[in-house]
Amino acid sequence: MQLSDFNYDLPPQLIAQHPLANRTDSRLLEVKAEGSNAALLIDRQFRDILNLIKPGDLLVFNDTKVIPARLHGKKETGGNVELLIERISAENQAWVQIRASKVPKTGTIVHVYNKVGETFPVEMIGYDGRFYEVRFPENVFSLLERFGELPLPPYIEHQPNQEDANRYQTVVAKNPGAVAAPTAGLHFDEAILNELRELGIKQATVTLHVGAGTFTPVREEDLSKHKMHYEWFSVPAETIAAIEATHKAGGRVIAVGTTSLRALESQAQTQQDSGETNLFITPGYVFKTVDCLLTNFHLPKSTLLMLVSAFAGVDNIRNAYQHAIQNEYRFFSYGDAMLLSRLNQTNS
């Protein structure tokens, strides 16, 4: 398929700029793929998930925690530089995206500053054709806590505030490393997680540190030429055991978000429980682990739109997005959710 197959027109007013009052206030579009027929589209509220997920099913969450990944600095010549962490590669090194009138060359120093006047030097040490590698003078996480800013997505137009600090983070977040939230998890609060447990619905976690590359547009019309960004993932042994037990008992594995799905499918493909993945899922991919997917609405021409199209069917997703636009669903990170059943496949 071609890049143009995954484009759609979205009225700007449907891009959610702020979260709703309560996490569970979102709408939910259920997309039920049934054989070769067009999927049924059912308008629901998010709390209906209590009736849509059955005892014996397994919900798998991404427990990554968003870090304050945006830094502001100046070159020694005085020019402004913005650095956005893409992924942390060592205790004092990271790959970053850079915005500057003229990108600093390898070997130069950028002086990062914060609002209270503190500074520290960052050295440019490499470039892989997409991201820049930089060296920090000490532990990256500790410096980000003092100097970093919450990295809201580029389509959210306000500066990050206290509301964002609370709500652009899932309630299961515990492992720092993401520069974007696993947004399907934003719809859950502690109360609904407890209600799900009381209904006999199991819960497990994986970790996938979402990188800034998730917002990088696909520029190749021929999708086979697109190079997917790398993200670090981990699937604990207890989660693998829970998946096996769920399938053995006839239950469904439900990935909460595309990042959870990518972690699970990466583990199933490689048989490695942790590492870096650049798994690029497009229509034709045979899913090995995940039976249902809870997800938000994704950007046009994005790798995530291609993933959900592979999962639920290209025509089904096109129809679902058209339906969502016509019915004024809220889109992207702070937007509404979809519950997708997997198109019939033969697992391998």
Side-chain angles (χ1 to χ4, degrees):
M1 302 192 73
Q2 302 293 300
L3 178 61
S4 53
D5 294 321
F6 299 94
N7 195 19
Y8 67 93
D9 294 320
L10 180 68
Q13 65 270 23
L14 297 186
I15 300 174
Q17 294 295 323
H18 297 273
L20 297 173
N22 300 299
R23 289 179 183 268
T24 58
D25 285 347
S26 301
R27 297 165 72 188
L28 177 68
L29 178 59
E30 184 183 7
V31 182
K32 294 181 68 172
E34 298 186 343
S36 59
N37 298 322
L40 294 174
L41 305 177
I42 306 170
D43 297 307
R44 299 187 182 276
Q45 294 300 125
F46 185 77
R47 285 191 59 82
D48 291 339
I49 202 165
L50 293 166
N51 301 314
L52 299 174
I53 301 178
K54 305 300 181 185
D57 287 344
L58 176 68
L59 282 168
V60 182
F61 294 86
N62 184 1
D63 67 6
T64 189
K65 186 175 183 179
V66 182
I67 57 176
R70 194 183 307 279
L71 298 166
H72 300 279
K74 286 187 178 292
K75 293 182 281 188
E76 293 183 320
T77 56
N80 291 323
V81 180
E82 181 182 287
L83 299 90
L84 178 62
I85 303 292
E86 203 282 323
R87 68 186 189 278
I88 294 171
S89 54
E91 182 181 0
N92 68 332
Q93 289 181 199
W95 292 94
V96 303
Q97 293 180 1
I98 289 183
R99 293 175 63 181
S101 57
K102 189 175 182 181
V103 175
K105 296 179 180 179
T106 299
T108 60
I109 302 294
V110 171
H111 295 276
V112 174
Y113 58 86
N114 62 14
K115 293 178 181 178
V116 297
E118 298 174 309
T119 66
F120 72 86
V122 167
E123 182 185 3
M124 312 293 296
I125 61 174
Y127 179 58
D128 69 356
R130 298 176 72 185
F131 303 111
Y132 296 83
E133 191 170 22
V134 299
R135 180 181 293 120
F136 291 72
E138 57 185 271
N139 182 277
V140 177
F141 287 113
S142 64
L143 287 170
L144 290 178
E145 287 301 320
R146 288 166 50 205
F147 290 83
E149 176 182 282
L150 185 73
L152 289 178
Y155 47 76
I156 292 180
E157 297 172 352
H158 64 267
Q159 290 298 307
N161 54 36
Q162 189 56 50
E163 178 187 51
D164 298 306
N166 294 330
R167 294 292 300 277
Y168 194 64
Q169 200 82 264
T170 69
V171 296
V172 301
K174 67 176 184 179
N175 290 316
V179 302
T183 55
L186 297 179
H187 302 285
F188 293 85
D189 58 19
E190 293 288 0
I192 201 168
L193 290 176
N194 288 332
E195 289 180 76
L196 288 162
R197 291 188 193 100
E198 290 171 1
L199 290 171
I201 294 156
K202 297 171 288 183
Q203 297 169 28
T205 59
V206 297
T207 304
L208 185 140
H209 291 322
V210 190
T214 193
F215 299 117
T216 302
V218 178
R219 295 185 172 89
E220 298 284 355
E221 181 64 22
D222 180 355
L223 299 184
S224 66
K225 296 180 180 179
H226 175 67
K227 292 183 179 180
M228 191 72 173
H229 60 285
Y230 281 91
E231 293 169 316
W232 185 87
F233 78 96
S234 174
V235 181
E238 55 266 32
T239 296
I240 296 172
I243 289 166
E244 292 173 353
T246 298
H247 280 154
K248 187 174 181 179
R252 298 173 300 172
V253 173
I254 302 168
V256 179
T258 56
T259 58
S260 295
L261 181 148
R262 289 186 68 239
L264 292 171
E265 294 294 324
S266 295
Q267 188 280 328
Q269 274 208 346
T270 64
Q271 295 299 301
Q272 295 180 348
D273 297 350
S274 66
E276 289 197 329
T277 180
N278 67 338
L279 179 62
F280 183 23
I281 295 177
T282 56
Y285 177 87
V286 177
F287 292 86
K288 297 173 172 58
T289 300
V290 178
D291 304 299
C292 293
L293 172 63
L294 182 73
T295 184
N296 282 22
F297 295 91
H298 302 292
L299 292 162
K301 296 185 177 181
S302 65
T303 60
L304 300 182
L305 183 57
M306 296 166 196
L307 183 156
V308 297
S309 298
F311 190 84
V314 174
D315 289 338
N316 289 335
I317 292 297
R318 283 179 184 154
N319 293 338
Y321 273 57
Q322 183 179 20
H323 175 92
I325 291 168
Q326 290 173 345
N327 289 274
E328 298 187 338
Y329 276 69
R330 301 166 72 251
F331 275 63
F332 306 158
S333 294
Y334 281 146
D336 295 316
M338 310 171 74
L339 181 63
L340 309 177
S341 58
R342 193 185 68 202
L343 208 60
N344 287 338
Q345 295 178 320
T346 301
N347 278 348
S348 60

